[in-house]
Amino acid sequence: MLESVKIQRRQSEIRQSLAELVAKPEPTEDETRSMDTLDKEYRANETRYRAALIAEDEERRDAKGELETRSDREWSELMGRFEMRQVALALDEGRKLDGPTAEIVEELRERGGYRGVPVPWEALEVRAGETIASGTPDPIQTRPIIDRLFPDSVASRMGAQMISIDHGEIEWPVVTQGASVGWQASETGAVGSPQAFQTTDKALAPDQTLGVQMKITRKTLKQSGSALEQAVRRDMNSAMAVEMDRVVFLGSGSSGEPLGVIAGAATYGITDTDLGAAPTWSAFRSAVVRFMLANAAGSPSAVRLMLRPEVWDAMDASYIDAGTAVTEWDRLAKNVSTIAMTTNGLATPTGTPAASKALLTTNAGGVAPIFVGKWGAVDLIRDPFTDAASGGLRITALATLDVTVARPKQLEVVSGIQ
């Protein structure tokens, strides 16, 4: 307890005692001496109280940073103790949740409705240290959500930001027209005509739901806790990571899928340049220059590039000069700091000759090029009947997601890479 609070409480006790003594019409000598003693203590405490406030104010300033981050850190540490095996056993046997797992599930239920058991996205993290002999979980320190979910996600490497939404829709007003500038041509002339401040809304809507189904056998359910923990996390993590990476870039916008940034480049207003030739550094350099001319990137190092392994193969086999060992890939890797290769986020090359696509993105002014919205937590629903004959359990995980682009100038598609 703070010293100032202790002093305040003592002062309140002194005032109460003095009030009782003063109310007596003829106090005894002992009561008179007691009043004198209490009065001296009260005045001394006033000085101590002011000193305590000054000292505690300095302590508060010193601890300000810790106090501001303590709640987030405590929540992350609580998430680190969430046990997927408790959820699996609750769905299979009806076992009661307890500890941090029960606390987290209860809080998630208060925020939204779930048919099954809500599982926080942070729980899908594949944790280190949970297969040691003692079986005591030792999770790694949590990180930002997009990295914590899928550390090797291509979407995260391309700068996509995951947005947590409790319910409803969320939108970002993006400025399309603003202030105008101009010089006064004459002493009495105007400095130019003003133009209206205009924005366009970029919305995320809970219209697309991703379903992940898994089968947990009776043997798995009877295994040790850490083994089940890792198996469930690993299975859900990989399945959701692969599909989310795909739809962020290649989502069709139909059949329940959100519209991906490459498949929906025309809809989002993203520039799509047809290279129609073999990949070279000069071709990608031209795309980087277009970024810089659009004020989206300040240097080549600010650009992120995503391409297929076939493009790397072609560029690494193309030498600048027969007398040197420098390839087109060497020049590209030297200038572009972040290059992500994927077979999931980009479609397989087609045509004759086979042609692929590439995507360039950049963060401008702290704004991510791609937003991925997720609503609430992952909803786990049990099906104990389908595999009842073998004693197994089927689980369906439902996650509501959407994708949008804030500013199309922060992205560019290069197609026709032969």
Side-chain angles (χ1 to χ4, degrees):
M1 184 185 298
L2 294 176
E3 188 64 25
S4 61
V5 177
K6 294 179 181 178
I7 296 174
Q8 276 184 313
R9 291 186 176 182
R10 177 55 185 161
Q11 294 293 75
S12 178
E13 294 173 357
I14 293 174
R15 286 194 297 270
Q16 184 176 359
S17 299
L18 285 173
E20 294 174 356
L21 294 172
V22 171
K24 295 185 177 182
E26 295 181 1
T28 63
E29 291 184 2
D30 290 340
E31 289 173 339
T32 303
R33 283 193 299 269
S34 178
M35 282 191 287
D36 185 54
T37 302
L38 291 173
D39 179 62
K40 289 180 180 178
E41 182 182 355
Y42 188 89
R43 283 180 288 172
N45 283 348
E46 285 296 306
T47 303
R48 292 179 57 222
Y49 180 69
R50 289 193 294 271
L53 288 179
I54 294 172
E56 290 165 5
D57 183 61
E58 293 178 354
E59 292 175 3
R60 287 189 186 95
R61 284 198 298 268
D62 294 340
K64 181 180 180 182
E66 180 185 353
L67 292 173
E68 290 176 347
T69 59
R70 183 177 296 170
S71 61
D72 292 339
R73 188 172 64 250
E74 289 176 350
W75 177 250
S76 298
E77 291 172 354
L78 183 65
M79 285 292 183
R81 297 196 295 273
F82 187 93
E83 297 179 344
M84 286 291 293
R85 60 178 174 270
Q86 282 199 42
V87 176
L89 293 172
L91 293 174
D92 179 54
E93 305 173 357
R95 183 177 298 185
K96 185 178 179 181
L97 300 176
D98 57 25
T101 304
E103 182 179 346
I104 293 170
V105 169
E106 185 64 29
E107 185 162 345
L108 289 173
R109 287 194 186 282
E110 292 178 357
R111 295 183 181 180
Y114 299 92
R115 292 182 56 194
V117 179
V119 175
W121 288 84
E122 292 87 342
L124 300 185
E125 174 192 14
V126 178
R127 301 173 185 172
E130 292 192 344
T131 57
I132 57 178
S134 63
T136 302
D138 183 20
I140 63 175
Q141 188 66 31
T142 52
R143 297 168 290 167
I145 292 177
I146 190 73
D147 294 328
R148 179 167 54 222
L149 282 175
F150 312 119
D152 298 323
S153 168
V154 177
S156 67
R157 295 179 63 189
M158 293 302 290
Q161 179 182 356
M162 183 165 280
I163 309 295
S164 298
I165 307 170
D166 285 338
H167 60 276
E169 297 186 10
I170 186 170
E171 62 184 16
W172 289 266
V174 179
V175 177
T176 56
Q177 180 176 289
S180 60
V181 296
W183 291 94
Q184 189 179 29
S186 62
E187 184 177 354
T188 58
V191 293
S193 301
Q195 59 183 4
F197 184 84
Q198 297 179 359
T199 62
T200 182
D201 294 332
K202 302 293 184 177
L204 287 170
D207 298 331
Q208 295 86 22
T209 297
L210 171 65
V212 179
Q213 293 183 310
M214 68 172 66
K215 180 188 295 187
I216 300 180
T217 64
R218 181 175 177 81
K219 178 181 178 181
T220 301
L221 289 167
K222 302 305 178 185
Q223 280 180 330
S224 61
S226 59
L228 175 61
E229 191 90 5
Q230 289 286 24
V232 173
R233 275 207 189 94
R234 190 164 53 244
D235 203 21
M236 290 186 64
N237 183 297
S238 59
M240 297 186 75
V242 169
E243 184 59 18
M244 285 178 64
D245 260 358
R246 187 190 69 82
V247 298
V248 166
F249 303 106
L250 299 178
S252 63
S254 60
S255 301
E257 294 182 2
L259 184 61
V261 298
I262 294 179
T267 302
Y268 288 121
I270 301 171
T271 300
D272 188 341
T273 304
D274 186 5
L275 178 61
T280 61
W281 159 236
S282 61
F284 289 112
R285 182 180 60 205
S286 298
V288 172
V289 170
R290 287 192 293 270
F291 264 75
M292 299 174 70
L293 292 176
N295 296 322
S299 66
S301 61
V303 176
R304 303 167 186 259
L305 173 63
M306 182 177 74
L307 42 75
R308 285 188 62 91
E310 294 91 336
V311 178
W312 164 77
D313 182 40
M315 296 185 70
D316 198 48
S318 177
Y319 291 90
I320 303 300
D321 191 331
T324 67
V326 179
T327 64
E328 293 285 355
W329 178 259
D330 294 331
R331 298 179 67 188
L332 175 64
K334 179 181 178 182
N335 291 279
V336 179
S337 59
T338 302
I339 301 177
M341 283 189 279
T342 178
T343 58
N344 185 43
L346 292 169
T348 304
T350 58
T352 306
S356 177
K357 291 187 177 183
L359 176 68
L360 295 92
T361 68
T362 183
N363 285 53
V367 178
I370 306 168
F371 289 141
V372 181
K374 65 179 182 67
W375 277 260
V378 179
D379 194 357
L380 248 63
I381 303 172
R382 68 192 293 259
D383 174 12
F385 307 109
T386 303
D387 296 316
S390 62
L393 173 70
R394 289 199 181 188
I395 292 179
T396 300
L398 301 178
T400 302
L401 305 162
D402 195 15
V403 178
T404 192
V405 171
R407 294 189 291 220
K409 287 186 178 181
Q410 290 181 231
L411 302 95
E412 179 161 338
V413 177
V414 178
S415 56
I417 304 174
Q418 298 176 359

